[in-house]
Amino acid sequence: MSKKEITSKENLIDVLDLLEDLNVTYWVDGGWGVDILTGKQNRDHRDIDIDFDGKFEEVLLEALKNKGYKITTDWSPSRIELHHPELGYLDIHPLIINEDGSAKQAAPDGGWYHFEPKWFSRSLFEGREIPCISAEAQKLFHSGYELREVDRIDMKNLDCLFPE
């Protein structure tokens, strides 16, 4: 990854501050989510994956555009990828949150991904408690496809921290 393709820890904190300023309910997923679960940055990241309460989608997109992000991939209602020339890539995933604490995300093929309430967790990272997707869910989300090198690193870190 070139320097331009790396989303730094400072970029992550900047995005989290924005989400919290907007009072958006969110959880960090993907590689940064794994690093948050382990309590430290373990590798370089191309993007930040954010699962969020879909009722905030318009507010969030407007704030991101005002900050200088531009949409690069729009697979609504499943996911939207945005890019900022200095802050890097952001991959946002709107969820429909149910009363029982479960959620669902639209799949690109028209189906749904279902999230169990216990998959929504929090972990301490950089002295801050951050909402993130649990290790159990991260492991599940890393199944069913051929893992890339970054995925293997993430799985190894999860396995060391949370052995089965």
Side-chain angles (χ1 to χ4, degrees), residues 110-129:
W112 294 96
Y113 301 118
H114 294 276
F115 290 67
E116 296 181 27
K118 66 182 179 178
W119 292 353
F120 298 105
S121 65
R122 301 178 77 79
S123 193
L124 196 60
F125 181 81
E126 295 291 307
R128 175 179 187 159
E129 194 173 305

Side-chain angles (χ1 to χ4, degrees), residues 36-79:
I36 289 167
L37 286 167
T38 65
K40 66 182 177 23
Q41 184 174 354
N42 297 296
R43 64 173 178 85
D44 289 335
H45 298 275
R46 177 187 175 271
D47 64 4
I48 303 166
D49 292 284
I50 301 288
D51 297 331
F52 70 100
D53 186 338
K55 71 181 179 186
F56 295 102
E57 185 171 355
E58 283 184 37
V59 170
L60 178 57
L61 282 173
E62 176 143 345
L64 291 169
K65 288 176 185 176
N66 289 340
K67 197 166 180 62
Y69 281 92
K70 299 220 179 320
I71 294 175
T72 58
T73 303
D74 188 345
W75 288 4
S76 293
S78 179
R79 67 179 274 265

Side-chain angles (χ1 to χ4, degrees), residues 10 12-13 39 68 77 87 95 113 116 121 134 142:
E10 292 75 24
L12 171 69
I13 300 304
L87 303 176
L95 304 179
Y113 301 118
E116 296 181 27
S121 65
S134 72
H142 281 84

Side-chain angles (χ1 to χ4, degrees), residues 14-159:
D14 187 62
V15 167
L16 300 183
D17 287 344
L18 174 69
L19 290 162
E20 290 175 12
D21 288 347
L22 294 170
N23 291 315
V24 171
T25 305
Y26 73 91
W27 300 269
V28 182
D29 199 353
W32 273 115
V34 170
D35 285 1
I36 289 167
L37 286 167
T38 65
K40 66 182 177 23
Q41 184 174 354
N42 297 296
R43 64 173 178 85
D44 289 335
H45 298 275
R46 177 187 175 271
D47 64 4
I48 303 166
D49 292 284
I50 301 288
D51 297 331
F52 70 100
D53 186 338
K55 71 181 179 186
F56 295 102
E57 185 171 355
E58 283 184 37
V59 170
L60 178 57
L61 282 173
E62 176 143 345
L64 291 169
K65 288 176 185 176
N66 289 340
K67 197 166 180 62
Y69 281 92
K70 299 220 179 320
I71 294 175
T72 58
T73 303
D74 188 345
W75 288 4
S76 293
S78 179
R79 67 179 274 265
I80 300 171
E81 185 177 72
L82 303 102
H83 181 259
H84 187 287
E86 281 100 44
L87 303 176
Y89 286 92
L90 190 57
D91 195 353
I92 61 173
H93 314 119
L95 304 179
I96 297 171
I97 311 293
N98 299 312
E99 281 188 33
D100 66 0
S102 67
K104 62 183 182 177
Q105 175 189 359
D109 65 5
W112 294 96
Y113 301 118
H114 294 276
F115 290 67
E116 296 181 27
K118 66 182 179 178
W119 292 353
F120 298 105
S121 65
R122 301 178 77 79
S123 193
L124 196 60
F125 181 81
E126 295 291 307
R128 175 179 187 159
E129 194 173 305
I130 299 174
C132 58
I133 298 299
S134 72
E136 176 187 355
Q138 287 275 20
K139 287 180 179 184
L140 182 65
F141 297 166
H142 281 84
S143 65
Y145 67 95
E146 189 167 331
L147 298 179
R148 303 164 295 162
E149 181 59 26
V150 293
D151 299 319
R152 285 191 286 279
I153 292 168
D154 290 345
M155 291 302 292
K156 181 180 172 204
N157 287 321
L158 286 172
D159 287 341

